[in-house]
Amino acid sequence: MGRIAWLPRPLPTTIVFEIGYRVTDVPKLAASGVSCRFGDVLAVDDVSLTVGRGEFVSIVGPSGCGKSTLFNVISGLQRPTKGGIAIDGVDVTGETGHVGYMLQKDLLLPWRTVIGNIVLGASLTRGATQDDRAEAARLASRYGLGQFLNHYPHALSGGMRQRVAFMRTLALGQDVLLLDEPFGALDSQTRFDMQMWLLSVCRDLNATILFVTHDVDEAIFLADRVIVMSARPGRIARELPVGLPRPRTVDTLTTVMFIDIKREVQAALGHAEAGRAAR
Amino acid sequence: MTTSTTRPRRGGVARALGLLALPIAGLAIIAVIWNIVIWIFDLKPFVLPTPQAAVRAIGVNWSTLAPLTMQTVLETVYGFLIGAALGFVLAVIMSAMKFLQRLIFPTLITSQAVPIVAIAAPLVILFGFGMLPKLIIVAWIVFFPVAVNVLDGLAHVDPDLVRLSRVTGARRVREFLMIRLPATLSPLFSGLKIGATYAVTGAVIGEWTGTPTPGLGTQLLKVNASFKTDVVYGVTFLLTAIGVLSFLIVMAVEAISTPWTRRTTAWRGFRGAIDGYDGAHGSGMSPARADGARTGPQTVGEPDRGQ
């Protein structure tokens, strides 16, 4: 852990030098002017956001702020009423198969082993090969699931099940991951372990992550940037960069900088709630 | 880590006997009460024979009863398989097309309200005295619990799971085979277990309408008419045994085909069987896995923190 020097993660404005000849500042993921209307209800209103390659962005907001709708739009499950989604600068609005998606429910198939669940994405699209399984076994072993490769999900604890679910999301081979309150159902100690675990996995894989949570501490602790959304219609109320140094530890949670950011996020959330109460 | 390892494991045979002890005791209690009733009311053997006498009657008449049993078993098994397949296919079709479900399902429910005894004779007129009307009656009884249960299982697949599969860009056929179909297994077996016990009744009713290939049902009418009450009870015991045995066979097949309900880890031969994986990568047997495989379902705790 200590051997790897910490480097600041690229923000959307940073110019990224790719391997080869191309120099690009195209963000990994861009939502532009996304609005979503269901009948009379405007669930998401003109949301624009960009996420840089390898960036970790948390989204917090009151219940019903359209976070899940936004995720459905980004994943391609839901076509927006207005606006579009681009990944690597390519328009993928309404197209599935471009991102990894993980929910609070682990949704593991009880009849598949840990390995079988991790390769589910391949099984569902083209059929899992030996290589897929070997790769899944390697991933799982590397991130603390080595003993449980052939276990059925019911034999695992909640935290372990979420790890398998996350591995399944990774094994899809997409470098944009949407995590919708993935640790919401876990107890606080397991949750903290999972956060540390997620940070270590992210450091290795350089995945681009959008992370929805209700937990302000969690949002700040994990992210490079926190987006606060307002209640219905869902709008971006505030964006806050999180300049906390990495690697982050349990001590990060009590630093002055962390508390300052938390105060600002909560103030923004308070405005979002107040805005709703006033309507 | 586990509580079950602290308790010495009993041998397989001893455990099986332990599991059988109570059911056998239950049957013994009924036999005792039966004998007491005969003794108190002083019933003649032709009115109510003792269960011992009924069992003895099976032995005495076995040479006659054996081929009849075979015939009834065949009708039961074939009818059961046809009914199960029909029920399953109907459920899959109905769940895929809601329009068809609304069209067919009320008719299916109505079919079960038709008194099976009443329809048996007309079926013979339609299809003759052969095997066919018997199979139809058995299948008629069996398909319903299977269809209802499987339909229920298909309807209760988590919509989030379907959403997840759509996000990956899954093919619909694969989604059906890997997510929906396995989800029907447990409800399917619930339906099959109900069907297995009812199937024998269907076979007997089918035989009552007359047949050139007699079975236990026809024999039942014959010995009843000649007041061989002990044989009547003996034949009834045989029919009951067929029903119970069918149930047990279905249960065994269920246990084999749904290992995840009882086991912690997959059988070595079974690992990845679902998509043709031979398990070559799972060769390094770790202690935890070996232990888990032996002690059955249990929750494994978090591994050492900070891993």
Side-chain angles (χ1 to χ4, degrees), chain B:
Chain B
M1 190 164 94
T2 60
T3 49
S4 44
T5 46
T6 55
R7 176 162 41 86
R9 213 171 74 90
R10 284 183 293 172
V13 178
R15 223 173 86 211
L17 284 178
L19 288 174
L20 279 174
L22 278 181
I24 289 172
L27 289 177
I29 288 169
I30 289 175
V32 168
I33 293 174
W34 187 330
N35 276 288
I36 290 172
V37 167
I38 290 173
W39 180 68
I40 289 177
F41 295 100
D42 192 22
L43 298 172
K44 297 281 170 289
F46 71 86
V47 177
L48 183 66
T50 59
Q52 309 85 280
V55 172
R56 214 175 304 126
I58 299 175
V60 172
N61 297 288
W62 185 241
S63 53
T64 334
L65 291 178
L68 302 177
T69 308
M70 198 58 209
Q71 177 65 24
T72 304
V73 166
L74 281 183
E75 290 160 4
T76 307
V77 171
Y78 289 155
F80 174 79
L81 292 179
I82 294 170
L86 189 72
F88 188 80
V89 170
L90 276 173
V92 169
I93 291 174
M94 286 192 292
S95 97
M97 280 171 270
K98 290 283 165 283
F99 159 75
L100 279 179
Q101 182 172 343
R102 288 213 304 276
L103 183 77
I104 302 173
F105 204 47
T107 315
L108 297 188
I109 295 168
T110 312
S111 78
Q112 296 306 297
V114 174
I116 205 80
V117 187
I119 202 81
L123 281 177
V124 171
I125 297 172
L126 259 177
F127 300 108
F129 288 108
M131 188 87 150
L132 190 58
K134 282 125 207 154
L135 296 187
I136 292 176
I137 290 168
V138 176
W140 189 302
I141 294 176
V142 171
F143 90 89
F144 192 68
V146 173
V148 170
N149 277 292
V150 172
L151 193 63
D152 216 37
L154 286 168
H156 283 94
V157 171
D158 192 332
D160 278 332
L161 198 52
V162 177
R163 230 154 56 99
L164 181 83
S165 131
R166 296 282 151 82
V167 171
T168 64
R171 298 220 202 128
R172 294 300 164 94
V173 179
R174 286 181 175 275
E175 180 185 301
F176 179 78
L177 289 177
M178 288 173 187
I179 293 178
R180 291 181 191 273
L181 211 53
T184 65
L185 271 176
S186 292
L188 169 68
F189 280 108
S190 305
L192 288 179
K193 278 187 268 187
I194 298 171
T197 47
Y198 285 171
V200 194
T201 309
V204 170
I205 292 171
E207 289 173 5
W208 278 359
T209 56
T211 174
T213 50
L216 287 178
T218 29
Q219 188 69 8
L220 207 53
L221 289 184
K222 217 165 114 185
V223 291
N224 204 27
S226 52
F227 277 95
K228 288 181 188 160
T229 319
D230 54 343
V231 189
V232 172
Y233 278 92
V235 170
T236 310
F237 282 179
L238 277 177
L239 290 167
T240 311
I242 296 173
V244 172
L245 210 63
S246 314
F247 185 90
L248 291 178
I249 290 171
V250 173
M251 232 170 79
V253 174
E254 179 180 21
I256 292 166
S257 52
T258 58
W260 60 88
T261 56
R262 298 167 303 110
R263 292 173 56 89
T264 304
T265 59
W267 277 312
R268 294 180 73 73
F270 213 79
R271 289 170 191 169
I274 213 150
D275 46 25
Y277 167 66
D278 63 8
H281 294 284
S283 46
M285 193 83 166
S286 72
R289 218 160 67 205
D291 179 53
R294 238 193 5 253
T295 49
Q298 58 190 252
T299 296
V300 177
E302 295 286 322
D304 298 337
R305 301 216 185 274
Q307 209 174 35

Side-chain angles (χ1 to χ4, degrees), chain A residues 72-79 95-96 101, chain B residues 163 166-167:
Chain A
N72 284 345
V73 169
I74 296 173
S75 65
L77 286 172
Q78 171 79 47
R79 219 166 220 299
E95 280 177 35
T96 57
Y101 200 158
Chain B
R163 230 154 56 99
R166 296 282 151 82
V167 171

